[in-house]
Amino acid sequence: MDTIRAVIKRHSAPIYFALVFVISGGGLLLVVGPGGFPLDAARFASFGPLLYAVILTGPCVAGILLTVIVDGRTGLRDLRARLCRWRVGWTWYAVAVLPALLMTATGLLLSLLSADFRPAILDSNEKSGILLGALGPALLVGALEEMGWTGFAVPHLRSRHSVLTTGLIIGVVWGAWHFPLFWQPDSFSAALPLVILLTMLFSWLPPFRVLLVWLHDRTLSLPVVMLMHAAVSYVTLTVRPEGLTGTRLLASLLVSPAAMWLLLAVVSMANHWRLSARREAQPA
């Protein structure tokens, strides 16, 4: 048993990633069925919250389980301490909502170029319903995902890698984990749909993950990281155009990533480019 635990501890991050895919993927297969992918919009909607519930189980359950196995009571105490760390100053809460505000601003600016990019909520008669309805799911996504990605994977990778490398590693894995949700029936039918799929998966999730890692590095607060994630999820659920296809869809998908990379560059400059510096150990 000690040998198995030692192996898991030595390869904690890859094992965590694998376990996330097994739990989330297994849950999706149970709900959708082996031949249920890719999902069209109608089938996706028919499963409702259940689809999100099973996929969100992966990061959360895998993180808590491996914390117990790898870090034991010390790890659980550390996780609880970071989970209860609310008092980090209002400035960090303001920083946490910056990516969401930036995504909103870029989306609205894009809509000035063409009415096709106009967020659907602006023309809806159910604005309050949309805004209130998205609040719960956004908070749930931010909380359950970051219990695992930041709760377990980040500290273990940060003991050996820089903020930038840690964020990019998790960001790429994170993008791949989203694949079943973004996979469309025509994704592999031609070059443009494939590019759209890859853009959805890997254009903005890696830089956003670097920002999440940096925020955790500076605050050691899971609630603040969860807020940053939840705020961006909230914007993606509420401030978005509908009915875009082809090159217009690709254009809309590239604007937010460009803004996210720009924000990451600003943060890096403000930190004197130290995001690429390695740190041997994370403070407890």
Side-chain angles (χ1 to χ4, degrees), residues 111-242:
S111 70
L112 297 178
L113 300 177
S114 172
D116 292 339
F117 299 113
R118 183 177 172 85
I121 191 174
L122 297 180
D123 301 313
S124 173
N125 295 323
E126 303 292 335
K127 291 182 179 65
S128 59
I130 294 172
L131 293 173
L132 290 174
L135 188 59
L139 290 172
L140 196 63
V141 167
L144 292 181
E145 284 199 45
E146 297 313 320
M147 277 292 290
W149 300 120
T150 302
F152 180 82
V154 167
H156 283 264
L157 284 171
R158 276 295 283 125
S159 64
R160 291 167 291 179
H161 302 289
S162 67
V163 168
L164 181 63
T165 302
T166 297
L168 293 178
I169 290 172
I170 299 177
V172 170
V173 176
W174 194 29
W177 176 77
H178 280 86
F179 172 71
L181 300 180
F182 294 164
W183 182 17
Q184 299 295 318
D186 65 342
S187 290
F188 296 95
S189 64
L192 183 58
L194 178 59
V195 171
I196 289 174
L197 173 63
L198 294 176
T199 301
M200 287 180 174
L201 294 175
F202 302 114
S203 61
W204 70 275
L205 289 173
F208 181 47
R209 178 52 63 182
V210 175
L211 291 170
L212 289 165
V213 173
W214 168 76
L215 184 64
H216 179 262
D217 224 54
R218 298 300 299 270
T219 65
L220 293 179
S221 168
L222 283 176
V224 177
V225 174
M226 290 172 177
L227 174 62
M228 180 181 273
H229 188 154
V232 165
S233 295
Y234 186 73
V235 169
T236 60
L237 290 172
T238 56
V239 186
R240 60 182 179 184
E242 292 183 357

